[in-house]
Amino acid sequence: MAVPTKNIPAPDLVPVRRALLSVFDKTGLVDFAKALAAAGVELVSTGGTATALAAAGMAVRDVSDLTGFPEIMDGRVKTLHPSVHGALLGIRDDAEHAKAMHDHNIEPIDLVVSNLYPFEEVRRSGAGYASIVENIDIGGPAMIRASAKNHAYVAIVTDPVDYASVVNALEMNLGSLSLDFRKMLAAKAFARTATYDAAISGWFAEALEIEHPTWRAFGGRLDQVMRYGENPHQDAGFYLSGDKRPGVATARQLQGKQLSYNNINDTDAAFELVGEFDPARSAVIAIIKHANPCGVAEGETLKAAYAKALACDPVSAFGGIVAMNRILDAEAAEEIVKTFTEVIIAPDATDEAAAIVAAKKNLRLLVTGGLPDPRAAGTTVKSVAGGLLVQGRDNAVVDDLELRVVTKRAPTPAELADLKFAFRVAKHVKSNAIVYAKDGATVGIGAGQMSRVDSSRIAARKALDAAEAAGLAEPLTKGSVVASDAFFPFADGLLSAIEAGATAVIQPGGSMRDEDVIAAADEHGIAMVFTGVRHFRH
């Protein structure tokens, strides 16, 4: 049954005479409460919040004085009472509501200050099931939602960041808060409880291994408003989900101007790619442009890896993103800054390296404190008209796959190492993806084409261009290996790779014409390995 509409206009200014403070995060609480008291506001509080205010020498009324009922069950039940929620939900200009408040001695509350138990932090800490459940706040969201619904009369503050603006608004309006201001606070409050509930429902689905819950929610906190999105006519903002996976969202920016929408997208792609490579095994550099790698290489040092990565496509590297799997050192930094670069992201940076990068004032330097785990489970989300596509992260790693040699000739150990390298990179190239590799470096990359043969030809063409730029007699695809993110539907893509000089191929297999492709490889003496796993990336 629908609730009848009251059609009572909300007052513009509502005097704040009584405030209820009940917070977990006590940042700035005492100073804010002192400012409220100085404005003549009566303070009502609960549990630890009341204790903190009393310890600061402030006069504070316990909520049990309003309810006539003590806090019970370890504080689980303290504000869930008609004397509290009637004070928050009552429409004061409605005669029936006003009479009910009078008859039941319900004193109106004009301002609520509440933030929530740290469910998100406890969940990320690896705490046990019972501890996580105990940190699901009930009274807080109930008060927040009640206050936000009745914003015609009640102001709700959920974020310590807003304390100063509340004090300023009270001073400007002689102890009152305006309707527009209350609406703004209410909107933020509902967004906060929605994000909180999204985290709880997401955790339950994960804990109970429910892959596709009937209702799915995602939430995040605004980190920055951007000048624009992918293009200047598009608005954009960057929201943090709270996931602590090392990457652009959790990185510390040591220097440089604000990251753009495209910077963040490309930097995420770059760092996820280098996360595929164990830093104990080799140094790896990836250069990314428009979310695709234009050069990836491993080496004894970052400097050596960067030189090999840059050689793959020095033209596209201009204005790119550089990611690495080891601490940025001075030698590598000196080489990287010679080419115009938008962002450098690394697990960390030496002081010498940071000083070298600092000479380029607009160049962003991000440090993450670690590498993303390529095997970790996770969720990716993509919006479509009218809905969301949700899937698990592609956490298949070539080292874990059962590789099957399907040709008469098996790859040599050197070829096999390059095949695995190329397949790691192909996982992070937009489909259709073709990656040529030689001696632990990409030597040609074809990305995002409608046909696989076109990707193969583009990669070979780029290798020719790079060879000309380096003054080489022939492209490095001669004697290389090639990786494909999906099966070759026809032999033409493979033949194009062979023509470019590839001697071994790694691909998922699974085409209706696999036998034709294998026969073509055998005819040309090419080794071919099937992975059984596809890496489409759209």
Side-chain angles (χ1 to χ4, degrees), residues 163-438:
Y163 291 170
S165 62
V166 172
V167 172
N168 183 58
L170 287 171
E171 291 176 350
M172 290 182 63
N173 294 304
L174 303 177
S176 297
L177 294 176
S178 70
L179 178 59
D180 285 345
F181 190 71
R182 299 194 305 273
K183 285 180 178 178
M184 180 194 71
L185 292 173
K188 186 170 184 176
F190 278 121
R192 175 64 188 114
T193 57
T195 302
Y196 193 74
D197 286 339
I200 294 169
S201 63
W203 169 74
F204 264 113
E206 180 182 295
L208 301 179
E209 298 182 349
I210 303 172
E211 291 186 4
H212 304 293
T214 303
W215 297 96
R216 195 75 185 250
F218 299 93
R221 183 185 180 111
L222 181 66
D223 181 65
Q224 61 175 280
V225 176
M226 300 172 169
R227 288 192 300 133
Y228 55 83
E230 281 186 287
N231 300 291
H233 63 279
Q234 294 173 269
D235 294 329
F238 184 37
Y239 288 80
L240 304 182
S241 68
D243 184 359
K244 293 303 180 184
R245 183 176 178 84
V248 65
T250 57
R252 184 163 53 97
Q253 184 169 345
L254 300 186
Q255 73 139 65
K257 60 184 180 180
Q258 184 185 38
L259 291 163
S260 71
Y261 180 101
N262 291 328
N263 288 153
I264 290 174
N265 187 55
D266 293 349
T267 303
D268 178 69
F271 206 59
E272 286 290 324
L273 195 164
V274 296
E276 299 280 344
F277 297 89
D278 182 358
R281 178 179 176 274
S282 62
V284 171
I285 290 279
I287 306 171
I288 299 291
K289 196 73 170 288
H290 299 300
N292 272 310
C294 54
V296 184
E298 56 185 357
E300 289 293 324
T301 65
L302 289 173
K303 179 181 178 180
Y306 179 74
K308 292 165 68 177
L310 183 64
C312 180
D313 189 353
V315 174
S316 297
F318 184 86
I321 311 293
V322 176
M324 60 206 67
N325 68 342
R326 287 184 180 176
I327 296 172
L328 176 65
D329 55 44
E331 283 190 341
E334 285 176 346
E335 291 302 312
I336 294 169
V337 298
K338 290 177 182 178
T339 299
F340 171 57
T341 301
E342 291 276 4
V343 181
I344 299 173
I345 184 168
D348 207 340
T350 66
D351 291 341
E352 294 81 3
I356 291 168
V357 176
K360 305 288 185 179
K361 65 178 183 178
N362 289 330
L363 172 55
R364 296 91 161 176
L365 176 58
L366 307 179
V367 294
T368 64
L371 289 169
D373 179 0
R375 295 176 173 84
T379 302
T380 65
V381 184
K382 181 179 180 180
S383 64
V384 295
L388 299 171
L389 284 170
V390 181
Q391 66 173 349
R393 180 186 290 123
D394 182 358
N395 61 354
V397 175
V398 68
D399 288 335
D400 302 335
L401 304 180
E402 184 177 344
L403 305 184
R404 183 164 62 95
V405 178
V406 294
T407 47
K408 294 175 182 177
R409 184 174 81 79
T412 66
E415 286 175 329
L416 184 59
D418 277 340
L419 287 170
K420 289 183 177 181
F421 173 90
F423 202 64
R424 284 191 189 93
V425 176
K427 175 181 173 181
H428 295 269
V429 179
K430 300 290 185 182
S431 301
N432 287 314
I434 292 291
V435 176
Y436 293 91
K438 185 177 182 179

